[in-house]
Amino acid sequence: MSSEWILDKNHLSYWLRQLRKEADLIGPLRKPGGDIVFESIERIHEIFLDLPALIPGPKEFLFPQYEKLFNKRDSKVEELSIKRKRVVFGVRSCDVSAVRLLDRFFLDRFEDPFYSNRRANTLLISIVCNNPEPTCFCAGIGTGPYLREDYDIQLTDLGERYLVQAASKQGIRAIKAYSFIFSKPTRTDYDDQFEVQLSAMARFQKRISLERVRSMIITGKVRDTFWEKVATRCFECGGCVYECPLCTCFTVIDRVFGDEIERARIWDACLFKGFTRLAGGVLPNERMVMRTKRWYYHKLVHYPEVIGSFGCVGCGRCTIVCPAKIDMATVAIKIKALADNEEKIIEQKE
Amino acid sequence: MLKVLTVCPYCGCGCGLYLHVEEGRIIGVSPSRNHPVNRGTLCIKGWNCYEFIQHPDRLRTPLIRKNGTLKEATWEEALEYTARRLQEIISLYGNDSIGVLGSAKCTNEENYLIMKFTRAVLGTNNIDHCARLCHSSTVGGLAAAFGSGAMTNSISEIRDARVIFVIGSNTTEQHPMIAMHMLEAVDKGATLIVADPRKTKIAEFASIHLRHRSGTDVALLMGIMNVILGERLVDREFVMRRTENLEIFENRLREFTPDRVEKLTGVPASDIRKVARVYAAEKRSMLFYAMGITQHITGVDNVKALANLVMLTGHIGLPMSGLNPLRGQNNVQGACDMGVLPNVYTGYQKVTDPKARQKFERAWRRRLPEKPGLTVVEMTEAILDGKLKAMYIMGENPLLSDPDLNQVVKAFEKLQFLIVQDIFPNETIEFADVVFPAASFAEKNGTFTNTERRVQLIRKAIPPPGDAKADWQIITELSTAMGYPMQYRDTYEIMEEIALLTPSYGGILHYRLEEGYGLQWPCPDRKHPGTPYLHRKKFARGLGTFLTVDFKLPEEMPDDNYPLILTTGRTYFHYHTGTMCRRTTVLEREEPEPFVEINPEDAEALEIRDRSRVKISSRRGSITLMAIVTERVPKGIVFVPFHFREAAANILTSAALDPEVKIPEYKVSAVKIEPEETEKILKTEIKAFRTR
Ligand code: SF4
Ligand code: SF4
Ligand code: SF4
């Protein structure tokens, strides 16, 4: 179920201003030096629309790096779930795909109240990427550059107007309340939308088939020596896990401030040897290669088995944050090269 | 949700990062994508640098020691008391009875102020900081050879270098984001040469790894230069036009034939020849070094030898060609630039130079002392001799970082008055009479200067906890209480004063730093775009000079009683005395325990199992910790990180000093190791169990 409208670009700021009356409006802003980051928006005209993939992705609004869970004072426990309403404007399609998978992790079976509260109060407005970055590879996974379903609100830039699609109840409400600035799309609008989609697909520099990589791994064609080489380079920074919109490693800490105890959860990373430290100081994954391999296996083998899709949406963030250049895309391309090589050898034999 | 651009508070790379602020609290960190150093990446310390800021242990109120315990006090009481005690001590024992330590963790503005306070208000040149313990050899050695001691190139040049020669630096672990650029160069086909006795991580990417004996760096470098001379690889043109005194140095050099050097260092002569050829042949050669070069009694000689090597080959004064000391702390470069040293004012203007002194006297309207003051380690001695009576320590922890700790403890017990200004209670506070709670990097404005001389803004994201104040505010208030009012609206006014008095910072002002990612000094005027690489066309001192050096053995060589060499250093997960990182969950969990690395051969001979407890002793004391049996260290050498108070490596180290700049020899001390008697432990444990 999706409802569609046309919004004149001149009316975008009016619409956002109305949304801001009920929620904290967050969007991309350009900082001195040229970085673009998500921030609360003071002046709507400063929103930076021609944006690259942002570091960090919108995961930080649903599952922040440091999140207070509860306070305890004089045996009274106060839960600190954040229920503030938020509109995050300008997220990417891959990010929305990632949030869908995060939902399954945090909400299926056991519902995480902290995530759940934040999620229920966050409206994501995504923009179809008609200018993917060199690091992006969502097209091959089907998680972008545009979405067919399961978004809140999706905008497609058609020049001087946006095609606006809403799929969630929240999303539809955010449009219907201001219906006088939206109009019905016409045939030409859909033609233009189709053209944008085609041209977006054509602009990807990276074409990666994770399926191919997966089959190489599960058929045992990627040797440990390969993983050794990858792992030796790792700086153990944790960046890939922290910034991956799908990674959910965390740890829980308690802090004592005088007579008040605070419990918080903070981002952690399975790539650290201490992540699986056992009593007595035993480190079952002391060798880096075991941890590197585990990250890739989790994303490429276990995820498809358990959830039915890859643990990667092709956002390319790990490519940006990895100082060692052993990110998903680079490693996938290397594994594919192994596969191609193998085929060549077989051909030669024949 | 706000994001505040600032600079990582850990190492000298100076990575740009954003602090995420929600409801007045910092809830996360993200890297800056366009920053020239980190370009969208951070190391584990950077990613986790938000956590300690809001740690419950933060100091929140001033403390005054009354009847042996530290009691909470108001700022008025603490400042008034401190001012009175300092004045008493000055009138009883004279100005030089007070010593001050600035901090490589604080901003330039704060270091400038504490320097000004020491010289103008306390009237002494007894000011120093931990750079003494890491790079004073660089400052001394390079100043003599080139006229200025700092990294000559920029970090962003590294990825286009063709030869990268790293000596005595564990770059991957200590300057991760610089290592990232090196790795990129290697990926693009550059040759990496590493000289380090330990098999460090960076060595895994090297085409040639020279594992010379600890303390034989001069010999190794002389050997390399000998080959360059012998095989006519010298850049004659460069030597003729830009340097002097090669003739004198040449004679000494001829004595160091590769075969002789092989005997001294343990490095095969063929490797020495190979390195000489590879390094000399490529113009885009960058040389890097860190503590493995400087922390020796021959620290200055090591640095001079390196300077000679780059001059001999003409590998300096160009982009991607130069000599690059990697500075450890986030602002150790800045603290040195600000003159937090006993012999210079800002920008290395000498206190003994009457012209410079007069300039500062006129600006500050006070008479200034003429004689250079005491260095860090000399201060400890002076306390023991009864000459130094009081100390003011800002953001440093000498009770874990200084060599021969048992002596340091004795000294601090003898002090009449000690002021400690810090963000956390540390080992030094146990001796303090007054404690001033300070603001962390996220709670104040100011600038840090990274290892490539880039002066960058740090911005206030949240207010300090409790009554804590920014260091610069505390100094101004103390100074005012002592009758020398200091008034600044914010740190930008202090920066303007620095620019006025310091030629190399002349054009560095906060409003210029706001757009973008800082300026690299020298930046003499407001229009100047900053200097990416030094010594272009001309050395800072005019002609570069070849300084003759000779090989000397480390002060304390292994013998029958203490047969192993101890070298100390850092680990990737921790930083110095651990005040910040040991209060960070992930970092502490990664490396929660002190350890000693020992080679399997030595371990077997001594019957030491991996992960068993051992006792390690030197002539000065002993510590007990866990043994890690690993090939990373060669036979005969053991390595202990110095972060851990539970087993402080510096109880073992010797306070043998380089004669010129007084840097202690942290990298070589003689020790012995023995398995801890399990019997003994068992017995005490059983006893403890019974009493429970
Ligand atoms: S693995 Fe990398 S590319 Fe894939 S979703 Fe995570 S961060 Fe994005
Ligand atoms: S980002 Fe790269 S270097 Fe950092 S932990 Fe991940 S794989 Fe390792
Ligand atoms: S490399 Fe240094 S400056 Fe950069 S994040 Fe790590 S500790 Fe901070």
Side-chain angles (χ1 to χ4, degrees):
Chain A
M1 182 206 63
S2 144
S3 316
E4 293 165 350
W5 295 271
I6 286 293
L7 174 68
D8 189 311
K9 274 196 179 167
N10 290 317
H11 299 149
L12 176 67
S13 57
Y14 177 82
W15 179 46
L16 293 177
R17 211 175 301 282
Q18 303 316 308
L19 294 180
R20 192 170 63 176
K21 292 190 174 147
E22 286 158 29
D24 185 10
L25 176 66
I26 290 181
L29 285 182
R30 192 178 182 280
K31 302 294 261 185
D35 294 326
I36 297 161
V37 299
F38 274 128
E39 255 192 327
S40 293
I41 302 286
E42 226 5 86
R43 285 187 286 272
I44 288 179
H45 66 271
E46 285 181 359
I47 292 181
F48 197 82
L49 282 172
D50 190 15
L51 60 149
L54 298 191
I55 301 280
K59 175 170 99 173
E60 59 168 331
F61 301 109
L62 302 172
F63 166 46
Q65 191 169 8
Y66 185 100
E67 180 169 39
K68 276 209 243 180
L69 302 181
F70 54 76
N71 264 346
K72 178 175 168 292
R73 185 195 277 272
D74 312 329
S75 70
K76 258 214 333 268
V77 177
E78 182 199 357
E79 202 197 287
L80 298 167
S81 204
I82 296 243
K83 297 202 179 101
R84 192 189 315 102
K85 283 209 173 303
R86 269 187 172 143
V87 175
V88 187
F89 177 82
V91 301
R92 303 194 138 210
S93 305
C94 57
D95 291 330
V96 176
S97 305
V99 170
R100 264 175 2 212
L101 294 167
L102 278 188
D103 285 350
R104 298 192 55 185
F105 177 81
F106 281 112
L107 305 177
D108 274 5
R109 282 181 290 185
F110 175 78
E111 184 180 318
D112 180 292
F114 306 98
Y115 179 88
S116 170
N117 276 321
R118 284 184 181 258
R119 178 76 175 102
N121 289 301
T122 306
L123 178 75
L124 299 172
I125 304 181
S126 55
I127 303 184
V128 170
C129 309
N130 41 13
N131 217 352
E133 276 201 79
T135 46
C136 297
F137 59 101
C138 60
I141 313 175
T143 47
Y146 54 88
L147 297 173
R148 298 195 185 283
E149 54 189 9
D150 275 353
Y151 42 81
D152 283 338
I153 295 177
Q154 170 170 270
L155 307 185
T156 310
D157 187 342
L158 304 180
E160 71 300 338
R161 64 207 192 282
Y162 286 113
L163 179 77
V164 182
Q165 297 166 292
S168 70
K169 261 198 222 123
Q170 255 189 332
I172 294 175
R173 210 179 320 121
I175 292 167
K176 288 236 166 113
Y178 313 102
S179 56
F180 68 101
I181 51 168
F182 294 91
S183 59
K184 271 202 115 41
T186 61
R187 190 61 205 258
T188 14
D189 294 325
Y190 287 117
D191 288 347
D192 288 355
Q193 180 201 18
F194 186 57
E195 194 192 344
V196 168
Q197 291 178 345
L198 280 185
S199 82
M201 288 300 266
R203 287 191 192 175
F204 279 84
Q205 295 184 16
K206 280 204 176 94
R207 281 163 205 279
I208 293 168
S209 157
L210 291 183
E211 191 43 52
R212 183 112 184 263
V213 176
R214 187 180 85 101
S215 70
M216 280 289 285
I217 292 178
I218 53 176
T219 50
K221 296 213 177 87
V222 187
R223 286 178 211 285
D224 270 7
T225 44
F226 174 83
W227 293 117
E228 287 281 1
K229 259 196 222 144
V230 174
T232 322
R233 296 179 62 108
C234 183
F235 282 69
E236 298 180 59
C237 70
C240 50
V241 175
Y242 292 150
E243 282 314 318
C244 178
L246 281 177
C247 282
T248 49
C249 300
F250 63 79
T251 188
V252 173
I253 59 168
D254 286 345
R255 287 175 152 187
V256 186
F257 292 86
D259 49 3
E260 189 178 313
I261 300 175
E262 165 185 309
R263 173 161 293 182
R265 78 166 157 211
I266 60 174
W267 285 357
D268 202 340
C270 56
L271 280 161
F272 299 142
K273 63 175 187 280
F275 189 72
T276 44
R277 178 184 293 277
L278 304 181
V282 181
L283 298 165
N285 291 310
E286 191 164 6
R287 285 173 54 231
M288 189 63 223
V289 63
M290 303 169 88
R291 291 174 261 150
T292 306
K293 234 170 109 173
R294 182 175 59 192
W295 193 72
Y296 281 99
Y297 272 59
H298 186 205
K299 291 198 168 299
L300 298 175
V301 181
H302 302 156
Y303 250 102
E305 277 170 15
V306 179
I307 291 197
S309 53
F310 288 111
C312 167
V313 292
C315 72
R317 285 202 178 80
C318 53
T319 310
I320 298 164
V321 300
C322 179
K325 299 280 162 282
I326 47 168
D327 49 284
M328 180 62 81
T330 313
V331 167
I333 290 168
K334 291 230 166 88
I335 293 182
K336 188 176 161 286
L338 290 180
D340 293 348
N341 232 342
E342 198 168 78
E343 275 166 22
K344 248 184 245 150
I345 294 169
I346 294 170
E347 273 167 29
Q348 279 167 5
K349 273 188 192 152
E350 283 166 357
Chain B
M1 164 77 71
L2 286 176
K3 300 209 171 143
V4 182
L5 177 61
T6 188
V7 180
C8 175
Y10 281 106
C11 86
C13 292
C15 297
L17 53 82
Y18 289 90
L19 293 174
H20 304 182
V21 187
E22 190 175 277
E23 289 175 354
R25 291 174 61 92
I26 296 178
I27 59 156
V29 166
S30 56
S32 156
R33 252 188 105 171
N34 292 306
H35 194 279
V37 175
N38 54 316
R39 297 191 296 159
T41 66
L42 289 174
C43 81
I44 186 173
K45 294 185 286 290
W47 277 112
N48 286 288
C49 74
Y50 69 95
E51 198 186 329
F52 73 85
I53 301 168
Q54 287 144 338
H55 195 278
D57 288 354
R58 281 290 301 273
L59 292 166
R60 285 153 199 276
T61 33
L63 306 170
I64 297 180
R65 190 173 299 276
K66 283 183 188 140
N67 307 323
T69 46
L70 287 169
K71 296 256 164 59
E72 292 190 358
T74 63
W75 274 110
E76 290 73 41
E77 285 165 359
L79 288 166
E80 189 273 332
Y81 174 65
T82 308
R84 186 160 45 85
R85 287 299 307 272
L86 286 177
Q87 272 152 349
E88 271 169 25
I89 289 169
I90 291 177
S91 60
L92 275 175
Y93 307 102
N95 302 70
D96 287 335
S97 64
I98 302 178
V100 179
L101 297 184
S103 171
K105 277 261 162 288
C106 292
T107 61
N108 288 324
E109 291 80 356
E110 290 160 343
N111 278 302
Y112 170 78
L113 281 194
I114 201 162
M115 189 277 292
K116 178 173 174 181
F117 174 77
T118 308
R119 295 194 155 119
V121 183
L122 300 179
T124 175
N125 280 324
N126 290 342
I127 181 164
D128 204 2
H129 71 292
C130 69
R132 178 72 43 208
L133 311 176
C134 63
H135 265 299
S136 49
S137 343
T138 297
V139 176
L142 293 190
F146 303 154
S148 121
M151 194 162 153
T152 71
N153 297 108
S154 291
I155 294 169
S156 58
E157 289 165 20
I158 300 173
R159 58 176 184 270
D160 294 316
R162 300 292 309 158
V163 170
I164 294 175
F165 185 2
V166 177
I167 178 162
S169 155
N170 184 0
T171 323
T172 336
E173 302 197 358
Q174 315 313 0
H175 294 89
M177 292 311 123
I178 290 180
M180 166 178 86
H181 290 258
M182 291 179 177
L183 220 60
E184 197 179 327
V186 171
D187 287 347
K188 285 172 33 182
T191 312
L192 176 67
I193 306 164
V194 173
D196 200 312
R198 287 175 73 212
K199 191 162 172 38
T200 53
K201 185 150 181 188
I202 187 86
E204 290 181 25
F205 305 100
S207 326
I208 313 169
H209 180 197
L210 310 172
R211 294 181 87 173
H212 55 302
R213 284 187 200 110
S214 281
T216 60
D217 306 80
V218 169
L220 179 68
L221 292 166
M222 292 295 260
I224 293 171
M225 284 188 272
N226 179 290
V227 176
I228 290 175
L229 195 69
E231 300 193 1
R232 297 177 191 284
L233 297 168
V234 176
D235 187 338
R236 285 282 162 201
E237 181 89 21
F238 182 91
V239 169
M240 212 173 68
R241 284 170 178 254
R242 306 234 357 223
T243 67
E244 59 188 14
N245 298 337
L246 175 61
E247 324 74 62
I248 312 171
F249 176 59
E250 255 185 86
N251 295 329
R252 179 63 50 76
L253 200 50
R254 295 201 192 282
E255 297 164 14
F256 286 83
T257 59
D259 296 315
R260 178 169 168 230
V261 172
E262 174 170 343
K263 284 196 198 87
L264 293 171
T265 61
V267 175
S270 58
D271 276 358
I272 295 171
R273 287 203 184 88
K274 198 152 69 184
V275 169
R277 287 172 202 147
V278 172
Y279 176 76
E282 176 58 63
K283 198 77 221 158
R284 280 197 258 158
S285 288
M286 293 174 86
L287 187 49
F288 295 87
Y289 71 91
M291 250 87 296
I293 281 291
T294 58
Q295 287 180 340
H296 290 283
I297 52 160
T298 55
V300 179
D301 285 349
N302 291 349
V303 173
K304 287 178 183 165
L306 288 168
N308 291 348
L309 175 59
V310 298
M311 286 192 289
L312 206 58
T313 47
H315 290 343
I316 190 155
L318 291 168
M320 295 157 275
S321 179
L323 178 56
N324 298 291
L326 298 177
R327 309 294 304 255
Q329 292 270 23
N330 57 331
N331 197 33
V332 64
Q333 182 66 52
C336 291
D337 297 345
M338 288 306 111
V340 180
L341 296 169
N343 56 341
V344 291
Y345 303 114
T346 60
Y348 309 96
Q349 306 172 70
K350 292 204 170 63
V351 296
T352 47
D353 172 7
K355 263 233 224 74
R357 199 170 56 245
Q358 272 158 22
K359 179 168 96 178
F360 282 88
E361 282 179 343
R362 283 176 57 203
W364 296 345
R365 281 172 283 132
R366 277 283 168 112
R367 293 234 4 122
L368 299 177
E370 298 169 16
K371 209 169 83 276
L374 299 174
T375 63
V376 171
V377 184
E378 288 172 324
M379 285 187 202
T380 311
E381 284 164 18
I383 306 171
L384 290 170
D385 293 348
K387 285 187 210 127
L388 206 69
K389 304 288 185 189
M391 279 193 83
Y392 178 9
I393 300 178
M394 167 172 93
E396 290 217 340
N397 190 8
L399 272 124
L400 201 50
S401 63
D402 286 9
D404 197 358
L405 278 181
N406 290 335
Q407 282 298 312
V408 184
V409 170
K410 266 188 222 144
F412 274 70
E413 279 167 351
K414 234 183 131 187
L415 269 183
Q416 290 193 6
F417 189 58
L418 173 63
I419 312 161
V420 174
Q421 180 170 318
D422 213 305
I423 62 172
F424 282 117
N426 57 22
E427 286 69 19
T428 309
I429 278 184
E430 285 154 28
F431 297 84
D433 295 286
V434 179
V435 177
F436 293 141
S440 76
F441 80 106
E443 298 149 357
K444 61 190 178 191
N445 295 318
T447 56
F448 288 156
T449 307
N450 80 350
T451 185
E452 52 163 2
R453 301 167 275 108
R454 182 182 299 280
V455 185
Q456 312 189 72
L457 271 191
I458 60 159
R459 296 175 172 89
K460 183 171 174 171
I462 52 166
D467 293 338
K469 288 185 185 180
D471 294 276
W472 67 269
Q473 279 169 314
I474 304 172
I475 302 164
T476 53
E477 285 168 24
L478 180 60
S479 177
T480 310
M482 291 189 66
Y484 183 88
M486 285 190 189
Q487 270 177 343
Y488 303 95
R489 279 205 181 177
D490 202 336
T491 44
Y492 65 89
E493 288 195 356
I494 307 173
M495 197 53 165
E496 196 172 26
E497 189 173 315
I498 297 170
L500 193 72
L501 293 167
T502 318
S504 54
Y505 276 66
I508 300 182
L509 294 156
H510 281 202
Y511 78 87
R512 291 193 66 195
L513 302 176
E514 243 140 49
E515 280 296 318
Y517 303 104
L519 289 166
Q520 286 172 284
W521 66 257
C523 175
D525 62 67
R526 289 177 189 218
K527 295 240 165 61
H528 197 282
T531 311
Y533 60 95
L534 299 180
H535 310 307
R536 183 170 163 245
K537 290 190 182 157
K538 189 161 132 314
F539 284 103
R541 72 181 287 278
L543 290 179
T545 176
F546 281 92
L547 297 157
T548 302
V549 291
D550 203 353
F551 176 62
K552 227 177 17 208
L553 279 174
E555 168 90 4
E556 191 179 67
M557 287 306 281
D559 54 23
D560 289 347
N561 293 333
Y562 296 95
L564 295 165
I565 293 182
L566 164 77
T567 142
T568 65
R570 278 165 48 197
T571 76
Y572 171 52
F573 301 103
H574 285 311
Y575 208 86
H576 289 138
T577 67
T579 14
M580 285 148 49
C581 50
R582 296 205 69 198
R583 289 184 173 88
T584 303
T585 314
V586 171
L587 299 177
E588 172 66 3
R589 188 192 61 203
E590 284 301 288
E591 217 75 89
E593 225 188 312
F595 60 87
V596 49
E597 288 182 353
I598 179 167
N599 183 278
E601 272 185 56
D602 291 328
E604 202 181 314
L606 294 163
E607 297 183 353
I608 290 169
R609 277 182 310 117
D610 190 26
R611 306 184 68 80
S612 66
R613 312 243 346 134
V614 294
K615 187 170 144 199
I616 157 166
S617 337
S618 75
R619 290 190 173 79
R620 292 155 294 275
S622 60
I623 55 177
T624 319
L625 69 185
M626 181 175 73
I628 300 228
V629 179
T630 166
E631 301 269 354
R632 277 196 293 272
V633 284
K635 192 170 171 299
I637 295 183
V638 296
F639 169 80
V640 181
F642 71 99
H643 317 291
F644 300 93
R645 65 183 300 182
E646 307 89 294
N650 282 324
I651 287 180
L652 308 172
T653 50
S654 97
L657 301 180
D658 178 287
E660 242 174 86
V661 298
K662 317 275 190 299
I663 193 167
E665 186 152 53
Y666 286 115
K667 296 296 184 210
V668 186
S669 338
V671 293
K672 65 174 175 206
I673 295 196
E674 55 212 321
E676 211 192 32
E677 299 152 53
T678 27
E679 283 269 346
K680 235 196 246 163
I681 311 175
L682 271 179
K683 260 186 210 152
T684 48
E685 273 182 5
I686 291 168
K687 218 199 229 158
F689 186 68
R690 287 215 180 108
T691 51
R692 228 191 279 154

